[in-house]
Amino acid sequence: MDITYEWLYENYAEQLQTEFTEYEEKAIDQISHSAALTDSARLKLVDFLADHRFRCGVESFALGVQLGLRLTMDFWRELPESTVS
């Protein structure tokens, strides 16, 4: 991971991911208790939700970085080579 992206992730996204994880765990506990899920079904639910949180988090982070680059294009007058497709 690029050092800039790593810094951005550690200073912005990582804390949000932790908060989402805590919220997710509470929601899963409530759902699994009210639906009387088996341990196997609960594990599948946890895996499913964690997978979606991870995928959406990564995509949102990447889109945020792209948006930031585009917003600063006027400053640079052009996109850096690594972002040109």
Side-chain angles (χ1 to χ4, degrees):
M1 181 184 296
D2 182 282
I3 193 163
T4 303
Y5 296 160
E6 185 176 347
W7 184 90
L8 288 169
Y9 177 80
E10 289 173 354
N11 288 280
Y12 294 102
E14 189 172 30
Q15 181 180 354
L16 287 173
Q17 290 270 334
T18 302
E19 291 174 18
F20 290 147
T21 300
E22 292 171 7
Y23 175 79
E24 180 184 284
E25 288 172 359
K26 288 178 186 176
I28 291 169
D29 283 342
Q30 291 175 349
I31 292 169
S32 63
H33 284 43
S34 66
L37 297 177
T38 64
D39 287 344
S40 175
R42 184 180 187 287
L43 182 59
K44 287 179 183 178
L45 177 64
V46 169
D47 286 346
F48 175 80
L49 292 175
D51 179 61
H52 282 291
R53 179 178 43 84
F54 175 75
R55 289 175 191 259
C56 291
V58 169
E59 290 174 14
S60 296
F61 180 72
L63 289 172
V65 169
Q66 287 180 0
L67 175 62
L69 288 172
R70 292 182 190 284
L71 289 173
T72 59
M73 268 179 36
D74 286 340
F75 175 75
W76 287 333
R77 300 285 181 231
E78 62 183 47
L79 283 173
E81 287 182 27
S82 62
T83 62
V84 177
S85 26

XYZ file of all heavy atoms in Angstrom:
700
model
N 0.854 -1.176 0.000
C 0.000 0.000 0.000
C 0.897 1.235 0.000
O 1.868 1.303 0.733
C -0.909 -0.023 1.230
C -1.857 1.157 1.292
S -2.889 1.254 2.793
C -3.867 -0.200 2.676
N 0.536 2.196 -0.813
C 1.249 3.465 -0.865
C 1.252 4.097 0.533
O 0.264 4.037 1.249
C 0.546 4.381 -1.878
C 1.238 5.704 -2.026
O 1.048 6.564 -1.140
O 1.961 5.867 -3.017
N 2.361 4.713 0.920
C 2.495 5.282 2.267
C 1.439 6.356 2.546
O 0.937 6.475 3.661
C 3.925 5.806 2.520
C 4.119 6.091 3.997
C 4.197 7.047 1.690
C 5.560 6.225 4.414
N 1.050 7.108 1.526
C 0.010 8.128 1.707
C -1.330 7.468 1.996
O -2.050 7.874 2.913
C -0.110 9.019 0.450
O 1.159 9.601 0.187
C -1.154 10.097 0.639
N -1.658 6.429 1.230
C -2.917 5.719 1.453
C -2.913 5.048 2.817
O -3.917 5.017 3.516
C -3.160 4.680 0.368
C -3.336 5.249 -1.019
C -3.160 4.444 -2.136
C -3.682 6.574 -1.227
C -3.315 4.952 -3.424
C -3.836 7.091 -2.506
C -3.654 6.265 -3.591
O -3.815 6.765 -4.854
N -1.756 4.508 3.191
C -1.642 3.860 4.493
C -1.897 4.870 5.607
O -2.641 4.601 6.551
C -0.254 3.240 4.639
C -0.076 2.446 5.906
C 1.281 1.759 5.967
O 1.987 1.695 4.942
O 1.621 1.291 7.063
N -1.309 6.072 5.487
C -1.512 7.115 6.490
C -2.980 7.523 6.544
O -3.557 7.665 7.617
C -0.634 8.330 6.179
C -0.747 9.391 7.231
C 0.000 9.521 8.354
C -1.699 10.468 7.261
N -0.414 10.604 9.089
C -1.452 11.205 8.446
C -2.727 10.880 6.418
C -2.206 12.325 8.790
C -3.468 11.997 6.769
C -3.213 12.705 7.947
N -3.583 7.720 5.381
C -5.001 8.091 5.332
C -5.865 7.019 5.983
O -6.782 7.320 6.756
C -5.446 8.316 3.887
C -4.936 9.581 3.215
C -5.227 9.544 1.727
C -5.543 10.818 3.862
N -5.564 5.767 5.672
C -6.342 4.673 6.255
C -6.193 4.660 7.775
O -7.179 4.610 8.500
C -5.906 3.318 5.673
C -6.644 2.179 6.325
C -7.931 1.862 5.926
C -6.075 1.461 7.369
C -8.632 0.842 6.554
C -6.763 0.443 7.993
C -8.044 0.141 7.577
O -8.737 -0.859 8.202
N -4.958 4.722 8.244
C -4.710 4.654 9.687
C -5.312 5.837 10.439
O -5.754 5.691 11.577
C -3.207 4.583 9.966
C -2.601 3.258 9.582
C -1.086 3.245 9.699
O -0.492 4.305 9.980
O -0.507 2.157 9.506
N -5.351 7.008 9.823
C -5.835 8.202 10.519
C -7.313 8.493 10.314
O -7.871 9.339 11.023
C -4.996 9.416 10.111
C -3.617 9.346 10.699
O -3.424 9.674 11.863
N -2.655 8.868 9.924
N -7.940 7.854 9.363
C -9.355 8.119 9.102
C -10.195 6.847 9.071
O -11.147 6.698 9.820
C -9.536 8.889 7.792
C -8.947 10.270 7.846
C -7.726 10.548 7.257
C -9.595 11.304 8.517
C -7.159 11.819 7.324
C -9.042 12.568 8.596
C -7.821 12.818 7.995
O -7.275 14.067 8.076
N -9.863 5.934 8.202
C -10.719 4.775 7.967
C -10.655 3.729 9.077
O -11.669 3.125 9.417
C -10.363 4.130 6.629
N -9.495 3.506 9.645
C -9.334 2.433 10.631
C -10.244 2.625 11.842
O -10.877 1.685 12.310
C -7.879 2.331 11.060
C -7.578 1.112 11.905
C -6.100 0.933 12.149
O -5.348 1.933 12.191
O -5.691 -0.226 12.289
N -10.337 3.837 12.353
C -11.189 4.103 13.508
C -12.657 3.837 13.168
O -13.386 3.243 13.959
C -11.020 5.537 13.998
C -11.865 5.845 15.211
C -11.693 7.271 15.697
O -10.857 8.015 15.194
N -12.492 7.662 16.652
N -13.076 4.269 11.982
C -14.456 4.014 11.566
C -14.722 2.526 11.427
O -15.777 2.040 11.812
C -14.764 4.728 10.248
C -14.924 6.233 10.347
C -15.045 6.833 8.941
C -16.137 6.589 11.181
N -13.754 1.792 10.885
C -13.903 0.335 10.752
C -14.104 -0.300 12.126
O -14.935 -1.186 12.286
C -12.672 -0.265 10.075
C -12.538 0.070 8.626
C -13.212 -0.930 7.725
O -13.370 -2.079 8.087
N -13.600 -0.493 6.561
N -13.356 0.166 13.121
C -13.484 -0.368 14.475
C -14.873 -0.077 15.037
O -15.512 -0.952 15.628
C -12.405 0.235 15.399
O -11.124 -0.068 14.842
C -12.488 -0.327 16.798
N -15.354 1.140 14.831
C -16.690 1.500 15.302
C -17.758 0.661 14.610
O -18.706 0.204 15.243
C -16.948 2.985 15.068
C -16.123 3.891 15.948
C -16.287 5.360 15.609
O -17.270 5.730 14.928
O -15.422 6.154 16.029
N -17.604 0.464 13.314
C -18.567 -0.349 12.576
C -18.553 -1.792 13.059
O -19.597 -2.438 13.148
C -18.302 -0.319 11.071
C -18.606 1.004 10.434
C -17.855 1.449 9.367
C -19.637 1.809 10.874
C -18.121 2.659 8.760
C -19.921 3.030 10.282
C -19.157 3.454 9.219
N -17.375 -2.299 13.389
C -17.263 -3.668 13.885
C -18.023 -3.830 15.194
O -18.756 -4.795 15.380
C -15.780 -4.056 14.076
O -15.110 -3.952 12.825
C -15.633 -5.470 14.602
N -17.855 -2.870 16.106
C -18.561 -2.926 17.387
C -20.073 -2.858 17.172
O -20.829 -3.626 17.780
C -18.099 -1.788 18.289
C -16.661 -1.920 18.747
C -16.147 -0.685 19.455
O -16.940 0.253 19.718
O -14.938 -0.661 19.746
N -20.524 -1.966 16.308
C -21.952 -1.853 16.003
C -22.460 -3.138 15.373
O -23.529 -3.631 15.713
C -22.181 -0.658 15.067
C -23.609 -0.541 14.596
C -24.582 0.000 15.430
C -23.987 -0.991 13.334
C -25.900 0.103 15.009
C -25.298 -0.893 12.910
C -26.242 -0.344 13.755
O -27.542 -0.260 13.335
N -21.676 -3.679 14.451
C -22.060 -4.914 13.768
C -22.218 -6.057 14.756
O -23.190 -6.820 14.680
C -20.998 -5.258 12.726
C -21.281 -6.521 11.952
C -20.137 -6.841 11.002
O -20.024 -6.183 9.964
O -19.356 -7.747 11.338
N -21.280 -6.187 15.680
C -21.346 -7.276 16.651
C -22.591 -7.169 17.530
O -23.241 -8.175 17.820
C -20.076 -7.301 17.500
C -18.871 -7.793 16.730
C -17.566 -7.655 17.489
O -17.574 -7.153 18.641
O -16.533 -8.045 16.923
N -22.939 -5.952 17.948
C -24.157 -5.764 18.742
C -25.398 -6.145 17.933
O -26.300 -6.811 18.427
C -24.269 -4.316 19.214
C -23.288 -3.950 20.298
C -23.438 -2.483 20.687
C -22.363 -2.067 21.666
N -22.436 -0.631 21.991
N -25.437 -5.698 16.673
C -26.582 -6.007 15.810
C -26.694 -7.510 15.578
O -27.798 -8.081 15.616
C -26.458 -5.275 14.477
N -25.580 -8.170 15.349
C -25.592 -9.623 15.124
C -26.087 -10.348 16.369
O -26.881 -11.290 16.270
C -24.195 -10.127 14.718
C -23.849 -9.616 13.326
C -24.124 -11.644 14.754
C -22.400 -9.830 12.931
N -25.625 -9.923 17.540
C -26.090 -10.545 18.781
C -27.599 -10.407 18.923
O -28.294 -11.367 19.275
C -25.386 -9.930 19.993
C -23.974 -10.444 20.166
O -23.645 -11.506 19.590
O -23.188 -9.775 20.873
N -28.120 -9.218 18.657
C -29.564 -8.998 18.768
C -30.336 -9.860 17.774
O -31.348 -10.476 18.122
C -29.896 -7.529 18.561
C -29.420 -6.643 19.686
C -29.655 -5.170 19.407
O -29.985 -4.776 18.293
N -29.459 -4.335 20.416
N -29.857 -9.904 16.536
C -30.542 -10.699 15.509
C -30.486 -12.180 15.838
O -31.493 -12.889 15.769
C -29.923 -10.444 14.111
C -30.228 -9.023 13.656
C -30.430 -11.457 13.090
C -29.443 -8.583 12.427
N -29.300 -12.665 16.202
C -29.156 -14.095 16.445
C -29.945 -14.554 17.667
O -30.479 -15.659 17.675
C -27.682 -14.486 16.581
O -27.098 -13.855 17.688
N -30.058 -13.701 18.680
C -30.848 -14.078 19.861
C -32.343 -14.049 19.561
O -33.076 -14.942 19.967
C -30.520 -13.165 21.032
C -29.214 -13.472 21.683
N -28.065 -13.754 20.984
C -28.860 -13.556 22.997
C -27.069 -13.986 21.811
N -27.519 -13.866 23.043
N -32.788 -13.040 18.833
C -34.220 -12.938 18.538
C -34.663 -13.984 17.519
O -35.809 -14.416 17.533
C -34.582 -11.539 18.051
O -33.964 -11.286 16.807
N -33.760 -14.404 16.637
C -34.099 -15.416 15.626
C -33.728 -16.814 16.078
O -33.973 -17.779 15.356
C -33.388 -15.097 14.316
N -33.145 -16.943 17.254
C -32.725 -18.236 17.800
C -31.871 -19.016 16.795
O -32.160 -20.151 16.462
C -33.947 -19.041 18.236
N -30.828 -18.377 16.308
C -29.934 -19.015 15.342
C -29.030 -20.030 16.034
O -28.624 -19.842 17.179
C -29.065 -17.963 14.650
C -29.779 -16.925 13.800
C -28.770 -15.915 13.263
C -30.514 -17.582 12.651
N -28.706 -21.067 15.289
C -27.725 -22.027 15.785
C -26.347 -21.391 15.718
O -26.159 -20.356 15.066
C -27.725 -23.312 14.931
O -27.301 -22.970 13.600
C -29.109 -23.956 14.889
N -25.372 -22.007 16.378
C -24.009 -21.475 16.332
C -23.490 -21.429 14.901
O -22.819 -20.470 14.496
C -23.069 -22.317 17.197
C -23.300 -22.100 18.685
O -23.949 -21.105 19.052
O -22.829 -22.945 19.480
N -23.820 -22.443 14.110
C -23.377 -22.501 12.717
C -24.010 -21.369 11.901
O -23.334 -20.689 11.133
C -23.732 -23.851 12.112
O -23.419 -23.881 10.747
N -25.301 -21.157 12.081
C -26.003 -20.098 11.352
C -25.501 -18.730 11.785
O -25.352 -17.824 10.965
C -27.509 -20.213 11.566
N -25.218 -18.576 13.081
C -24.698 -17.306 13.577
C -23.327 -17.022 12.962
O -23.040 -15.908 12.546
C -24.584 -17.323 15.102
C -24.131 -15.997 15.661
C -24.014 -16.037 17.192
N -23.747 -14.724 17.722
C -22.578 -14.079 17.632
N -21.571 -14.638 17.029
N -22.426 -12.874 18.146
N -22.488 -18.048 12.885
C -21.166 -17.881 12.288
C -21.279 -17.475 10.816
O -20.558 -16.601 10.348
C -20.348 -19.166 12.422
C -18.926 -19.116 11.891
C -18.117 -18.043 12.601
C -18.264 -20.477 12.038
N -22.211 -18.080 10.095
C -22.425 -17.713 8.693
C -22.879 -16.263 8.581
O -22.442 -15.536 7.686
C -23.444 -18.643 8.043
C -22.907 -20.027 7.775
C -23.957 -20.915 7.150
C -23.421 -22.319 6.968
N -24.433 -23.229 6.415
N -23.758 -15.843 9.479
C -24.233 -14.457 9.475
C -23.079 -13.489 9.759
O -22.931 -12.475 9.071
C -25.343 -14.266 10.508
C -25.893 -12.849 10.676
C -26.569 -12.379 9.389
C -26.851 -12.790 11.846
N -22.258 -13.807 10.744
C -21.100 -12.972 11.083
C -20.171 -12.862 9.882
O -19.733 -11.766 9.515
C -20.353 -13.539 12.303
C -19.013 -12.839 12.486
C -21.186 -13.420 13.561
N -19.856 -13.992 9.253
C -18.964 -13.986 8.087
C -19.555 -13.175 6.939
O -18.850 -12.406 6.289
C -18.684 -15.413 7.609
C -17.742 -16.161 8.534
O -17.105 -15.522 9.392
O -17.663 -17.401 8.396
N -20.841 -13.342 6.685
C -21.515 -12.631 5.606
C -21.453 -11.121 5.820
O -21.069 -10.363 4.930
C -22.967 -13.112 5.515
C -23.799 -12.364 4.521
C -23.714 -12.656 3.168
C -24.671 -11.379 4.939
C -24.483 -11.972 2.248
C -25.449 -10.684 4.021
C -25.349 -10.981 2.678
N -21.812 -10.674 7.012
C -21.830 -9.239 7.296
C -20.417 -8.648 7.335
O -20.200 -7.541 6.837
C -22.559 -8.972 8.614
C -24.061 -9.261 8.592
C -24.655 -9.074 9.982
C -24.773 -8.381 7.588
N -19.469 -9.389 7.892
C -18.095 -8.891 7.937
C -17.529 -8.769 6.530
O -16.827 -7.802 6.216
C -17.227 -9.817 8.784
N -17.845 -9.728 5.664
C -17.383 -9.673 4.280
C -17.937 -8.442 3.572
O -17.207 -7.720 2.893
C -17.802 -10.939 3.537
C -17.362 -10.928 2.083
O -16.144 -10.858 1.829
O -18.250 -10.987 1.195
N -19.222 -8.183 3.765
C -19.825 -7.011 3.119
C -19.278 -5.708 3.689
O -19.042 -4.760 2.944
C -21.347 -7.055 3.228
C -21.958 -7.987 2.250
N -21.973 -7.751 0.901
C -22.540 -9.196 2.411
C -22.547 -8.752 0.274
N -22.886 -9.650 1.171
N -19.053 -5.656 4.994
C -18.488 -4.455 5.599
C -17.095 -4.207 5.045
O -16.743 -3.078 4.695
C -18.422 -4.584 7.120
C -17.827 -3.365 7.788
C -17.798 -3.461 9.312
N -17.388 -4.729 9.824
C -16.106 -5.098 9.978
N -15.134 -4.309 9.622
N -15.821 -6.282 10.489
N -16.299 -5.261 4.936
C -14.941 -5.116 4.421
C -14.965 -4.641 2.971
O -14.277 -3.692 2.613
C -14.188 -6.442 4.528
C -12.821 -6.389 3.910
C -11.786 -5.733 4.539
C -12.590 -6.986 2.689
C -10.526 -5.671 3.964
C -11.334 -6.938 2.103
C -10.302 -6.282 2.743
N -15.780 -5.280 2.131
C -15.836 -4.901 0.714
C -16.318 -3.463 0.536
O -15.735 -2.702 -0.230
C -16.738 -5.851 -0.060
C -16.157 -7.222 -0.236
C -17.165 -8.142 -0.919
N -16.741 -9.499 -0.868
C -16.169 -10.133 -1.883
N -15.963 -9.496 -3.016
N -15.803 -11.386 -1.762
N -17.369 -3.108 1.236
C -17.887 -1.739 1.119
C -16.889 -0.733 1.674
O -16.730 0.358 1.130
C -19.219 -1.612 1.854
S -20.559 -2.522 1.067
N -16.198 -1.093 2.747
C -15.209 -0.194 3.333
C -14.050 0.072 2.390
O -13.625 1.209 2.215
N -13.554 -0.984 1.761
C -12.440 -0.840 0.826
C -12.865 -0.002 -0.374
O -12.152 0.907 -0.805
C -11.917 -2.226 0.374
C -10.949 -2.096 -0.787
C -11.258 -2.940 1.536
N -14.045 -0.294 -0.925
C -14.528 0.460 -2.081
C -14.769 1.923 -1.724
O -14.420 2.823 -2.492
C -15.795 -0.183 -2.636
C -15.533 -1.522 -3.302
C -16.791 -2.243 -3.725
O -17.869 -1.614 -3.744
O -16.700 -3.432 -4.041
N -15.353 2.175 -0.564
C -15.606 3.554 -0.139
C -14.300 4.310 0.064
O -14.177 5.478 -0.319
C -16.395 3.571 1.169
O -17.665 3.009 0.978
N -13.316 3.648 0.652
C -12.015 4.276 0.855
C -11.376 4.636 -0.484
O -10.891 5.748 -0.680
C -11.101 3.348 1.662
C -9.738 3.920 1.925
C -9.569 4.951 2.828
C -8.634 3.423 1.261
C -8.309 5.483 3.076
C -7.371 3.947 1.498
C -7.216 4.974 2.408
N -11.408 3.694 -1.432
C -10.818 3.944 -2.752
C -11.531 5.091 -3.466
O -10.889 5.954 -4.073
C -10.869 2.678 -3.595
N -12.864 5.123 -3.382
C -13.612 6.214 -4.003
C -13.289 7.554 -3.343
O -13.194 8.577 -4.014
C -15.115 5.938 -3.929
C -15.615 4.822 -4.840
C -17.080 4.506 -4.523
C -15.447 5.183 -6.299
N -13.106 7.531 -2.025
C -12.757 8.756 -1.318
C -11.397 9.296 -1.743
O -11.211 10.504 -1.912
N -10.441 8.395 -1.928
C -9.115 8.815 -2.390
C -9.220 9.406 -3.793
O -8.652 10.456 -4.086
C -8.112 7.643 -2.355
C -6.819 7.997 -3.066
C -7.826 7.238 -0.905
N -9.974 8.740 -4.667
C -10.156 9.255 -6.029
C -10.822 10.629 -6.008
O -10.416 11.533 -6.740
C -10.994 8.291 -6.856
C -10.271 7.043 -7.262
C -11.160 6.126 -8.087
O -12.316 6.436 -8.359
N -10.615 5.000 -8.487
N -11.846 10.783 -5.185
C -12.531 12.066 -5.096
C -11.566 13.153 -4.619
O -11.529 14.255 -5.168
C -13.731 11.987 -4.152
C -14.457 13.302 -3.889
C -15.038 13.872 -5.183
C -15.539 13.112 -2.840
N -10.771 12.832 -3.608
C -9.784 13.794 -3.120
C -8.807 14.210 -4.199
O -8.471 15.387 -4.336
N -8.365 13.253 -5.002
C -7.447 13.574 -6.103
C -8.124 14.480 -7.124
O -7.530 15.438 -7.613
C -6.962 12.296 -6.783
C -5.974 11.458 -5.989
C -5.734 10.121 -6.691
C -4.668 12.194 -5.804
N -9.367 14.173 -7.444
C -10.077 14.981 -8.436
C -10.357 16.396 -7.915
O -10.314 17.362 -8.669
C -11.356 14.294 -8.859
C -11.068 13.028 -9.648
C -12.329 12.356 -10.115
N -12.057 11.047 -10.652
C -11.527 10.805 -11.845
N -11.212 11.803 -12.636
N -11.302 9.574 -12.256
N -10.647 16.515 -6.631
C -10.906 17.832 -6.052
C -9.655 18.700 -6.040
O -9.743 19.922 -6.087
C -11.462 17.702 -4.633
C -12.878 17.168 -4.519
C -13.232 16.936 -3.057
C -13.876 18.104 -5.178
N -8.489 18.079 -5.985
C -7.245 18.844 -5.965
C -6.620 18.956 -7.350
O -5.516 19.480 -7.478
C -6.226 18.221 -4.989
O -5.951 16.872 -5.390
C -6.736 18.244 -3.571
N -7.310 18.511 -8.388
C -6.772 18.586 -9.752
C -6.424 20.017 -10.146
O -5.425 20.240 -10.815
C -7.753 18.014 -10.777
C -7.531 16.563 -11.058
S -8.688 15.835 -12.238
C -9.019 17.076 -13.422
N -7.235 20.964 -9.749
C -6.936 22.358 -10.090
C -5.600 22.793 -9.506
O -4.871 23.564 -10.113
C -8.041 23.289 -9.590
C -9.299 23.183 -10.433
O -9.206 22.717 -11.581
O -10.363 23.556 -9.929
N -5.304 22.266 -8.337
C -4.030 22.585 -7.715
C -2.876 21.990 -8.515
O -1.867 22.619 -8.751
C -3.999 22.069 -6.271
C -2.693 22.249 -5.582
C -2.298 23.498 -5.123
C -1.842 21.169 -5.392
C -1.076 23.666 -4.490
C -0.634 21.333 -4.753
C -0.245 22.581 -4.301
N -3.059 20.732 -8.964
C -2.003 20.042 -9.709
C -2.043 20.352 -11.202
O -1.104 20.122 -11.912
C -2.128 18.531 -9.547
C -1.727 18.039 -8.202
C -0.850 18.608 -7.336
C -2.189 16.851 -7.574
N -0.732 17.852 -6.205
C -1.542 16.769 -6.332
C -3.078 15.859 -7.931
C -1.749 15.725 -5.448
C -3.290 14.812 -7.060
C -2.634 14.758 -5.831
N -3.187 20.773 -11.680
C -3.447 21.039 -13.099
C -3.597 19.764 -13.927
O -3.933 19.797 -15.075
C -2.370 21.925 -13.733
C -2.257 23.260 -13.083
C -3.435 24.139 -13.514
N -3.283 25.450 -12.892
C -4.237 26.042 -12.202
N -5.397 25.484 -12.052
N -4.043 27.212 -11.668
N -3.304 18.631 -13.344
C -3.524 17.355 -14.009
C -3.467 16.246 -12.979
O -2.953 16.432 -11.891
C -2.471 17.098 -15.108
C -1.053 17.025 -14.560
C -0.038 16.841 -15.675
O -0.130 17.564 -16.694
O 0.825 15.989 -15.523
N -4.007 15.102 -13.351
C -3.960 13.954 -12.443
C -2.552 13.365 -12.444
O -1.884 13.363 -13.469
C -4.944 12.874 -12.893
C -6.392 13.117 -12.582
C -7.254 12.048 -13.244
C -6.636 13.101 -11.095
N -2.122 12.839 -11.292
C -0.845 12.125 -11.293
C -0.909 10.944 -12.241
O -1.979 10.398 -12.510
C -0.713 11.642 -9.842
C -1.648 12.483 -9.064
C -2.743 12.898 -9.997
N 0.220 10.538 -12.797
C 0.259 9.461 -13.783
C -0.406 8.184 -13.295
O -1.059 7.483 -14.054
C 1.701 9.155 -14.189
C 2.312 10.219 -15.062
C 3.718 9.862 -15.477
O 4.039 8.663 -15.542
O 4.496 10.783 -15.742
N -0.268 7.868 -12.005
C -0.789 6.604 -11.493
C -2.313 6.542 -11.493
O -2.881 5.490 -11.368
C -0.272 6.353 -10.083
O -0.717 7.380 -9.211
N -3.008 7.684 -11.641
C -4.459 7.680 -11.632
C -5.065 7.786 -13.025
O -6.257 7.722 -13.194
C -5.030 8.824 -10.767
O -4.619 10.059 -11.324
C -4.559 8.708 -9.325
N -4.241 7.994 -14.031
C -4.736 8.118 -15.408
C -4.918 6.727 -15.975
O -4.035 5.901 -15.913
C -3.756 8.948 -16.266
C -4.237 9.005 -17.695
C -3.583 10.328 -15.695
N -6.132 6.459 -16.524
C -6.348 5.130 -17.081
C -6.170 5.083 -18.569
O -6.184 6.005 -19.271
C -7.715 4.589 -16.738
O -8.673 5.539 -16.505
